[in-house]
């Protein structure tokens, strides 16, 4: 009897232990699987969230270039939309209806490939106001920003012309895409302003491809994105002047030559620009197979010139702008 009671109580204790263990494992699963880190980005202030920290290579296991600026829990600005970034956009908790403006640095695929996916997702959302889209003017080898948007969506030749309603002028002032070209300027120019933010651009050198760097001023914060550039000229340094956060592209290692160097800036150039512009915080993104694993060398080259914080970006990282 005692024995059987003993076995019964042992069994009861075992069942309770198993229950506690199951609850613990479920809790652990819920905690680790929810993108809490992402959804809390910028909840109480201004923050930059990296949607894509990689370049064009898929083997880097990163989404391609894209950044969100959060302000008081709303995603207000997006810069670029490379492949994979639409999924990260969803994971971040952002909604297309929250965006004040869409900015393109240039139209390489790793900066623009997921744009149609974001646009189509917004068709199912609750956006009720136009979406201004700004990007560079074109040349022989690249479309302008307006050509890019119309080549995707407009009648009669757009690839996704079934969405042509989204680019037709809308007299009711409800949701439509409003693309504008930014005139070439080697010094910063004001491109967009509303009650809460101002956006400036400067043309940068990215080989033969028309490209822009962007500065967003929101509240008292100044955030600058280099985009892809080899760092030639003074426009980027002027644009980045006294930036609270400077996102620069770490696409090549020190010593790179040829086409790579004509398109991108090595760590020494990033460090020089960050130092001359007196930026308060430097975030390195657009990380590629040729720079991944060389972080110590990259940091050392930059540190020779720039003394502020240096951070390496990963997908969905959230950088509060202090
Ligand atoms: Zn590029």
């Amino acid at each position: 009897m005692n024995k059987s009671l003993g076995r019964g109580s042992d069994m009861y204790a075992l069942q309770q232990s198993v229950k506690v263990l199951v609850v613990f494992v479920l809790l652990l699963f819920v905690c680790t699987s929810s993108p809490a880190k992402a959804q809390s980005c910028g909840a109480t202030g201004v923050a930059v969230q990296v949607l894509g920290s990689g370049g064009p290579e898929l083997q880097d296991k990163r989404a391609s270039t894209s950044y969100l600026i959060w302000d008081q829990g709303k995603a207000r600005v997006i810069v670029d939309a490379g492949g994979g970034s639409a999924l990260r956009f969803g994971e971040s908790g952002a909604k297309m209806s929250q965006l004040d403006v869409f900015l393109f640095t240039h139209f390489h695929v790793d900066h623009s490939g997921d744009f149609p996916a974001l646009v189509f997702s917004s068709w199912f959302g609750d956006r009720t106001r136009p979406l201004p889209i700004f990007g560079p003017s074109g040349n022989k080898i690249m479309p302008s920003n307006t050509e890019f948007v119309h080549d995707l969506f407009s009648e009669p030749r757009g690839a996704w012309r079934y969405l042509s309603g989204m680019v037709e002028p809308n007299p009711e002032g409800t949701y439509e895409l409003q693309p504008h070209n930014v005139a070439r300027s080697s010094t910063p120019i004001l491109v967009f302003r509303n009650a809460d933010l101002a956006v400036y651009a400067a043309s940068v050198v990215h080989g033969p491809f028309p490209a822009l760097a962007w500065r967003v001023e929101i509240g008292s914060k100044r955030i600058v994105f280099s985009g892809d550039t080899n760092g030639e000229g003074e426009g980027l340094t002027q644009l980045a002047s006294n930036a609270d956060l400077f996102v620069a592209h770490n696409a090549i290692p020190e010593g790179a030559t040829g086409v790579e160097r004509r398109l991108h800036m090595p760590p020494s150039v990033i460090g020089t620009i960050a130092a001359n512009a007196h930026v308060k915080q430097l975030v390195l993104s657009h990380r590629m197979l040729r720079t991944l694993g060389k972080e110590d060398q990259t940091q050392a080259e930059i540190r020779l010139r720039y003394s502020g914080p240096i951070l390496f970006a990963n997908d969905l990282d959230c950088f509060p702008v202090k």
Side-chain angles (χ1 to χ4, degrees):
M1 190 71 177
N2 278 346
K3 259 187 176 178
S4 102
L5 252 184
R7 272 202 300 274
S9 60
D10 282 355
M11 190 59 75
Y12 177 76
L14 183 66
Q15 282 171 346
Q16 289 308 305
S17 302
V18 168
K19 273 184 191 168
V20 167
L21 189 67
V22 166
V23 168
F24 177 75
V25 167
L26 279 174
L27 266 176
L28 195 68
F29 177 76
V30 168
C31 292
T32 53
S33 66
S34 77
K37 179 179 86 168
Q39 285 173 356
S40 65
C41 187
T44 57
V46 175
V48 171
Q49 187 161 30
V50 177
L51 297 182
S53 61
E57 302 148 302
L58 302 178
Q59 291 73 20
D60 60 17
K61 301 186 175 68
R62 293 159 185 269
S64 301
T65 308
S66 184
Y67 309 103
L68 273 184
I69 297 178
W70 289 90
D71 179 28
Q72 307 297 331
K74 282 189 181 161
R76 307 295 297 269
V77 179
I78 185 167
V79 179
D80 285 346
S85 63
L87 175 62
R88 297 282 184 254
F89 187 92
E91 289 172 328
S92 80
K95 291 181 179 168
M96 286 289 283
S97 60
Q98 298 170 328
L99 295 175
D100 286 8
V101 65
F102 206 119
L103 308 175
F104 279 113
T105 61
H106 64 299
F107 293 110
H108 275 151
V109 174
D110 58 315
H111 295 254
S112 58
D114 264 11
F115 180 63
L118 286 169
V119 167
F120 193 34
S121 82
S122 73
W123 196 79
F124 298 89
D126 55 358
R127 190 176 181 93
T128 56
R129 57 192 168 127
L131 177 60
I133 303 163
F134 294 93
S137 306
N139 65 7
K140 272 189 181 164
I141 52 173
M142 277 284 165
S144 69
N145 184 60
T146 53
E147 285 171 336
F148 176 75
V149 173
H150 288 294
D151 286 354
L152 294 176
F153 300 118
S154 286
E155 297 276 11
R157 305 291 313 160
W160 290 288
R161 52 190 175 271
Y162 76 99
L163 292 173
S164 63
M166 301 193 75
V167 286
E168 280 159 12
N170 179 343
E172 286 88 49
T174 54
Y175 183 25
E176 65 174 285
L177 304 177
Q178 291 183 336
H180 308 276
N181 296 336
V182 176
R184 228 190 119 65
S185 173
S186 57
T187 55
I189 50 171
L190 176 67
V191 170
F192 174 83
R193 183 193 284 282
N194 65 17
D196 302 317
L197 57 91
V199 177
Y200 296 79
S203 297
V204 289
V205 180
H206 183 39
F209 307 104
L212 300 170
W214 288 104
R215 178 170 85 219
V216 177
E217 296 179 1
I218 183 163
S220 59
K221 310 301 181 197
R222 182 177 278 206
I223 302 157
V224 175
F225 303 89
S226 74
D228 285 0
T229 177
N230 64 13
E232 275 176 32
E234 288 302 308
L236 179 55
T237 304
Q238 292 170 14
L239 194 76
S241 173
N242 295 309
D244 296 291
L245 191 78
F246 177 40
V247 180
H249 283 185
N250 180 214
I252 55 170
E254 201 64 30
T257 56
V259 175
E260 295 177 7
R261 180 65 186 89
R262 287 199 289 280
L263 294 176
H264 295 291
M265 49 187 174
S268 57
V269 173
I270 295 173
T272 300
I273 293 172
N276 290 346
H278 306 289
V279 307
K280 300 194 181 88
Q281 201 175 174
L282 174 64
V283 172
L284 299 173
S285 189
H286 202 292
R287 304 171 67 188
M288 295 181 61
L289 297 180
R290 56 202 184 203
T291 51
L292 285 163
K294 294 184 178 152
E295 287 75 15
D296 288 349
Q297 181 198 335
T298 296
Q299 186 150 349
E301 285 291 341
I302 294 172
R303 187 56 80 217
L304 289 173
R305 297 152 182 94
Y306 170 71
S307 57
I310 303 167
L311 302 154
F312 288 89
N314 295 306
D315 285 14
L316 290 177
D317 275 358
C318 178
F319 297 98
V321 184
K322 294 161 197 153

